[in-house]
Amino acid sequence: MNITFIGLGNMGAPMAANLIKAGHAVTGFDTMAKPEGVTMADSAAEAARGADVVITMLPNGAILRAVADQVIPAMKPGAVLCDCSTVDVDSAKAVAAQAEAAGLGALDAPVSGGIGGAAAGTLTFMVGGADGAFATVKPLFDIMGQKAVHCGAAGAGQAAKICNNMILGVTMIATCEAFALADKLGLDRQKMFDVVSTSSGYSWTMNAYTPAPGVGAKSPADNGYKPGFAAELMLKDLRLSQQAADSADADTPMGQLAAQLYEQFVEREDGRGMDFSAMLPRFEKRGRG
Ligand code: NAD
């Protein structure tokens, strides 16, 4: 397949490298990055011309909309625009509608798995869009990832991603505040883990990504809270969840509070550049007042 890859940063570059390794012809475009081994075009439109699939992996919805304005008129009829960035649901739907009106297929296909998953080709894709477009891109998802779930119509992939990450942010905070409370109550962290990880308080954050160093699963806590999944990326996803909740008139009090706490941690404390599980040392240092 002729593939165009726009946005070759931390995630896009290794994803494109896996497509090339699997034998696909990939033309790239990025305003800054120049990764080795990818043939780069001079503009997004030039990169997109003649491609069967155009994949984008960009920072946010505004940039996606700007790039879509450039590439959609250049794409050949029947080609598919597949956005793998994490963006707001409204931008995902708007870009899909614009692409479909121009006779193209369109998918929103955000990922989980992070930079490690992108390099190893083990990402999970959450995909919104029509069956035909999904079928066209599925072989590429299988190269870049281990699982692709077709979640529904345009926007459903982004919806799945932000709902999942809203649960993740809320449960990480709950797990960290519980460890900090246990400390103050004189409960040993290992005992706390032994009980909770096999009781009704268990969760992915407790069992698979334990935020306490030396306890439970190996995680960024065992590496000085270096990300992993950075607190500012969690903040981005929580903000997107609250933007979507506003737009859909959904009541999400826990998600809203999680967004506020990560905002405080990242923008007014020392959370930027730390893993999102560094909420535990944050709570450790605090009292009730
Ligand atoms: P990044 O900043 O490393 O990469 C983004 C790339 O887009 C950069 O190379 C930048 O130069 C390029 N870019 C910006 N504007 C452009 C334009 N107008 N035209 C062409 N290229 C442009 O970010 P990343 O970590 O690769 O993340 C990309 C997306 O994936 C984001 O939406 C992010 O939320 C999502 N995501 C990231 C992770 C992660 O762990 N890093 C995990 C899951 C999802």
Side-chain angles (χ1 to χ4, degrees):
M1 256 194 236
N2 277 326
I3 301 164
T4 293
F5 211 115
I6 299 176
L8 294 149
N10 289 321
M11 295 291 292
M15 290 165 72
N18 283 330
L19 294 173
I20 293 167
K21 217 187 297 164
H24 289 290
V26 177
T27 304
F29 177 72
D30 192 296
T31 44
M32 309 265 289
K34 299 265 173 292
E36 263 175 51
V38 185
T39 309
M40 300 296 278
D42 290 333
S43 71
E46 187 195 313
R49 211 158 279 133
D52 300 302
V53 175
V54 173
I55 299 174
T56 49
M57 195 53 170
L58 297 162
N60 60 49
I63 293 175
L64 170 66
R65 286 176 192 245
V67 168
D69 284 342
Q70 294 160 37
V71 299
I72 287 172
M75 287 172 67
K76 69 177 182 194
V80 179
L81 177 59
C82 174
D83 177 48
C84 294
S85 330
T86 304
V87 303
D88 57 287
V89 176
D90 291 342
S91 291
K93 286 183 178 170
V95 165
Q98 189 182 346
E100 282 167 3
L104 305 172
L107 297 173
D108 54 293
V111 303
S112 81
I115 298 166
T122 56
L123 295 169
T124 296
F125 290 86
M126 297 151 254
V127 190
D131 290 343
F134 181 75
T136 302
V137 184
K138 177 77 169 48
L140 306 184
F141 294 144
D142 291 342
I143 293 165
M144 297 183 287
Q146 61 185 354
K147 193 170 178 188
V149 181
H150 191 189
C151 299
Q158 298 294 348
K161 164 101 190 179
I162 57 173
C163 287
N164 180 73
N165 281 16
M166 187 171 80
I167 296 171
L168 178 63
V170 168
T171 50
M172 179 55 84
I173 290 169
T175 302
C176 291
E177 70 182 25
F179 265 118
L181 171 61
D183 288 347
K184 294 200 176 183
L185 297 176
L187 172 60
D188 180 69
R189 285 184 171 182
Q190 184 62 50
K191 301 293 179 202
M192 159 94 170
F193 175 81
D194 291 345
V195 171
V196 175
S197 64
T198 54
S199 299
S200 46
Y202 85 89
S203 64
W204 186 84
T205 56
M206 174 59 83
N207 292 37
Y209 205 95
T210 322
V215 175
K218 266 249 165 293
S219 74
D222 300 302
N223 188 28
Y225 293 98
K226 285 196 198 75
F229 185 47
E232 57 269 30
L233 291 178
M234 174 49 80
L235 174 59
K236 173 188 173 179
D237 292 356
L238 286 167
R239 281 177 169 157
L240 290 174
S241 76
Q242 295 316 291
Q243 196 179 332
D246 279 343
S247 182
D249 190 27
D251 188 20
T252 56
M254 302 299 284
Q256 192 172 10
L257 190 52
Q260 283 166 13
L261 279 168
Y262 273 103
E263 181 173 299
Q264 186 173 335
F265 186 45
V266 168
E267 295 190 344
R268 294 190 291 285
E269 300 170 353
D270 55 359
R272 188 175 294 277
M274 305 283 279
D275 188 72
F276 81 121
S277 60
M279 273 285 163
L280 174 53
R282 175 190 183 274
F283 280 119
E284 263 171 52
K285 287 184 233 133
R286 297 172 65 90
R288 200 136 178 89

